[in-house]
């Protein structure tokens, strides 16, 4: 996925959930839209360099959107993370259509935002449905991962996620009915190299994920790679597959911020 020409700045604060104060290189303080409804635990770090996309739409209240943040790593250097959750499905769709997600390659048709037939809840929608005359149907739910705890590992979710747990139950229902059901973690943080359920933040989600995985729901994780030109981010795409550990937990409270 290509970015528009991004502009660097320094994060000063995120507030009221959807707003972020960012200082541009010339000292101008702008208010940017924060396209992330989550807690943004570990990626809301004032003082870090961020990248904003500009808008030319005069009807927009805010002219800037917060896209990326560069985070210092314990081993040195920085890792870039996407905070724009609205980009996640586009990144995954591009990879699906290009056949870069090997376990999901070879399907003939793709549909986004699909209602699950027979589901009791009106909000039982999943991100993708893949169809093929020979392979049948696969339902895919995508979750963006940006939480890297102080133990060096990646976790999901970054706060209690009742909706995420409902998605797991929907996938489990499909698997029980003989359909292929897949949870795909899109790891949008270049410093994360594996993923586990965040039992220390949402024990119910972690327990449910382990249960549905045992019941036939496939769990995949893929990292993201940010492409640069002259140090400026210009692309983001799905990269290699990452390991998922369903039973890793944080036991040392000192490793949690």
């Amino acid at each position: 996925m290509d970015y528009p020409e991004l502009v660097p700045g320094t994060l000063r604060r995120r507030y009221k959930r959807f707003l972020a104060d960012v200082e541009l290189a010339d000292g101008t303080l702008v208010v940017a839209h924060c396209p992330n409804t989550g807690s943004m635990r570990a990626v809301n770090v004032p003082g870090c360099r961020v990248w904003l996309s500009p808008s030319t739409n005069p009807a927009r209240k805010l002219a800037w959107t917060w896209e990326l943040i560069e985070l210092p790593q314990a081993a040195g250097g920085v890792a870039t993370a996407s905070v724009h959750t609205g980009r996640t499905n586009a990144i995954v769709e591009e990879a699906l259509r290009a056949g870069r997600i090997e376990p999901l390659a070879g399907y003939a048709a793709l549909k986004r935002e699909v209602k699950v037939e027979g589901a009791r809840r009106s909000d039982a929608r999943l991100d993708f449905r893949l169809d093929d005359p020979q392979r049948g149907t696969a339902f895919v739910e995508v979750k963006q991962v940006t939480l890297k705890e102080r133990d060096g590992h990646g976790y999901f979710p970054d706060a209690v996620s009742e909706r995420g747990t409902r998605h797991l139950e929907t996938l489990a229902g499909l698997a029980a009915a003989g359909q292929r059901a897949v949870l795909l973690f899109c790891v949008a943080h270049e410093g994360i190299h594996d993923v586990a359920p965040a039992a220390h933040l949402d024990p119910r989600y972690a327990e449910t994920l382990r249960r549905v995985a045992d019941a036939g729901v496939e769990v995949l994780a893929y990292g993201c790679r940010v492409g640069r030109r002259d140090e400026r981010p210009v692309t983001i795409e799905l990269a290699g597959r990452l390991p998922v550990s369903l039973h890793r937990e944080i036991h040392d409270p000192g490793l949690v911020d």
Side-chain angles (χ1 to χ4, degrees):
M1 190 199 78
D2 294 334
Y3 281 115
E5 186 168 347
L6 300 183
V7 174
T10 302
L11 179 66
R12 292 308 175 203
R13 63 171 180 148
R14 179 224 188 183
Y15 57 104
K16 295 183 179 179
R17 203 175 192 184
F18 297 106
L19 303 176
D21 287 345
V22 176
E23 184 178 340
L24 302 183
D26 64 0
T28 303
L29 190 67
V30 300
V31 180
H33 172 56
C34 178
N36 191 317
T37 61
S39 75
M40 295 183 65
R41 180 186 176 94
V43 292
N44 174 23
V45 185
C48 287
R49 183 161 75 162
V50 297
W51 293 90
L52 308 179
S53 60
S55 173
T56 57
N57 182 356
R60 271 194 54 163
K61 184 176 180 180
L62 298 175
W64 301 95
T65 298
W66 181 9
E67 298 279 355
L68 302 165
I69 185 167
E70 296 177 356
L71 300 162
Q73 300 299 287
V78 298
T80 302
S82 171
V83 302
H84 195 325
T85 55
R87 304 283 191 200
T88 309
N89 281 6
I91 295 167
V92 171
E93 180 177 0
E94 181 181 76
L96 285 169
R97 293 191 183 279
R100 296 203 307 272
I101 305 176
E102 187 175 354
L104 297 173
Y107 285 89
L110 179 153
K111 185 177 181 181
R112 290 187 60 166
E113 295 293 326
V114 291
K115 175 74 167 62
V116 178
E117 295 183 9
R120 296 179 181 178
R121 296 186 60 91
S122 60
D123 64 350
R125 292 182 176 272
L126 298 176
D127 290 316
F128 295 101
R129 172 176 169 157
L130 308 176
D131 290 290
D132 187 78
Q134 280 73 46
R135 303 192 66 185
T137 298
F139 291 88
V140 183
E141 176 63 18
V142 178
K143 298 299 181 187
Q144 176 173 294
V145 179
T146 57
L147 173 57
K148 182 180 181 181
E149 290 286 21
R150 289 172 59 195
D151 65 351
H153 297 291
Y155 293 90
F156 182 89
D158 63 2
V160 173
S161 178
E162 294 181 2
R163 185 168 182 265
T165 300
R166 292 199 301 269
H167 283 145
L168 293 179
E169 297 288 6
T170 299
L171 289 169
L174 289 165
Q179 300 277 14
R180 188 178 184 191
V182 182
L183 175 68
L184 174 61
F185 288 125
C186 176
V187 181
H189 184 317
E190 291 185 316
I192 293 176
H193 305 296
D194 55 21
V195 181
H200 59 297
L201 299 177
D202 190 344
R204 180 167 174 250
Y205 182 90
E207 179 183 355
T208 304
L209 178 56
R210 293 162 186 159
R211 173 170 54 80
V212 303
D214 287 340
V217 174
E218 300 173 48
V219 183
L220 305 175
Y222 278 76
C224 286
R225 177 172 51 242
V226 176
R228 294 174 179 267
R229 184 181 304 122
D230 298 328
E231 296 189 358
R232 187 184 303 273
V234 292
T235 62
I236 184 170
E237 63 180 5
L238 216 64
R241 187 170 177 177
L242 301 177
V244 178
S245 176
L246 295 179
H247 298 280
R248 186 179 65 239
E249 295 187 16
I250 292 177
H251 297 287
D252 182 354
L255 292 177
V256 181
D257 289 327

